[in-house]
Amino acid sequence: MCRRLDILDIEDQPVTSFAAMLLMHPDKAWGSIVVAQGTSPRRRRFSIGHELGHFLIGSHRPRDGEQFACSHADLRLENPREANRARKMEVEANRFAASLLMPPKRIRSNLRSRQPDLDEAVRLAGEFNVSKAAMARSYVDAHRETLALVVVRDGRLVQAHRPDDFPWIAPRIGEAVPMDSIANGHQLLPGQASQLEECEPEIWLSSGAARKVELLSEQVLVQNDGWTMILLHAEGAETD
């Protein structure tokens, strides 16, 4: 696909200063993509999709003139309300890559159950050949239920993926997981997921948001190196 769209080559190089780079003609007549050597195959596909987004989105122009050098942090940006133009372009390239590799309609057509389940997201990650984290975010976006995804490392929030229809999540990035969350004190091993369990809405939501939710459920998926994904399911949620 890249070659048909005037990307001349895709190379893996032993670099540490960026995760992926797009080199291109000033008028976007052609481009070349470089990916950091050692990137896992699934993350590599997302990185290539990200750089292809930069190439195809007409308004994207790198600050340095002829190249986008994107960091691992850039490949995780997802706030569409970013005020900074450079960061906003990274968000748009990430959304392009996600839509290209994980179209919502295709995700929904491959679901085996209407019940939200992180094990389902893990299965889909294998079928779509993308990382678990990327699929979990796209799974939340594509699902018919009102979902959010919280990413934790060593007991502290690193990321909260909250679609517009999900109530405001009270804990902030960098804060500890709420004490009453099932993510505290679990006995799960890496690769294991809990059941989707009902919890008090006030554990995760502000008091105002909690009053607008009939039922909140939580599921935990433990990963390696202290990483954990938490799926939140709000039923009967009212949004402003």
Side-chain angles (χ1 to χ4, degrees):
M1 179 184 292
C2 285
R3 293 190 185 282
R4 291 198 300 270
L5 294 170
D6 297 319
I7 297 296
L8 301 182
D9 50 49
I10 300 171
E11 297 182 2
D12 294 77
Q13 294 186 5
V15 296
T16 57
S17 57
F18 60 84
M21 175 184 284
L22 170 68
L23 303 167
M24 65 182 185
H25 185 275
D27 295 327
K28 292 192 172 184
W30 52 262
S32 177
I33 294 174
V34 177
V35 180
Q37 200 170 72
T39 303
S40 70
R42 291 180 175 183
R43 293 188 181 277
R44 183 178 185 273
R45 293 182 74 237
F46 190 90
S47 297
I48 292 169
H50 176 99
E51 300 307 330
L52 183 61
H54 281 317
F55 185 67
L56 294 179
I57 299 173
S59 61
H60 283 205
R61 297 289 171 177
R63 287 172 294 182
D64 296 333
E66 297 180 4
Q67 64 182 32
F68 280 97
C70 304
S71 67
H72 291 288
D74 292 333
L75 294 168
R76 292 193 294 269
L77 290 174
E78 58 177 49
N79 182 5
R81 300 180 183 86
E82 285 283 356
N84 179 278
R85 178 56 187 155
R87 289 170 64 88
K88 188 175 181 64
M89 286 192 293
E90 300 302 339
V91 171
E92 291 171 350
N94 285 332
R95 291 170 71 89
F96 176 93
S99 296
L100 176 67
L101 297 173
M102 299 165 284
K105 184 176 181 180
R106 189 174 163 216
I107 290 177
R108 288 191 290 269
S109 68
N110 279 271
L111 292 178
R112 292 177 178 172
S113 171
R114 294 182 180 180
Q115 177 74 2
D117 188 354
L118 283 173
D119 280 331
E120 181 90 326
V122 171
R123 177 185 65 80
L124 290 170
E127 290 190 9
F128 284 65
N129 197 19
V130 294
S131 71
K132 296 181 183 69
M135 176 52 76
R137 292 192 296 270
S138 292
Y139 175 83
V140 163
D141 290 335
H143 208 284
R144 300 297 190 188
E145 297 294 325
T146 305
L147 307 177
L149 180 76
V150 176
V151 179
V152 171
R153 189 173 195 189
D154 297 329
R156 293 192 174 274
L157 274 69
V158 175
Q159 188 179 49
H161 182 74
R162 184 187 68 87
D164 291 340
D165 62 346
F166 196 92
W168 189 258
I169 297 173
R172 297 181 178 181
I173 301 304
E175 293 183 349
V177 172
M179 287 296 296
D180 294 330
S181 164
I182 63 171
N184 276 324
H186 64 76
Q187 301 298 318
L188 300 169
L189 298 175
Q192 293 182 332
S194 71
Q195 298 296 313
L196 187 66
E197 300 179 20
E198 182 179 345
C199 64
E200 293 296 330
E202 291 81 2
I203 293 175
W204 283 101
L205 309 179
S206 65
S207 57
R211 287 194 295 269
K212 299 178 181 180
V213 173
E214 294 181 7
L215 179 66
L216 186 70
S217 301
E218 175 185 359
Q219 183 186 22
V220 173
L221 172 65
V222 177
Q223 300 176 282
N224 294 316
D225 301 323
W227 290 94
T228 302
M229 290 196 293
I230 302 169
L231 182 69
L232 300 176
H233 178 207
E235 297 182 62
E238 300 177 17
T239 56
D240 297 329

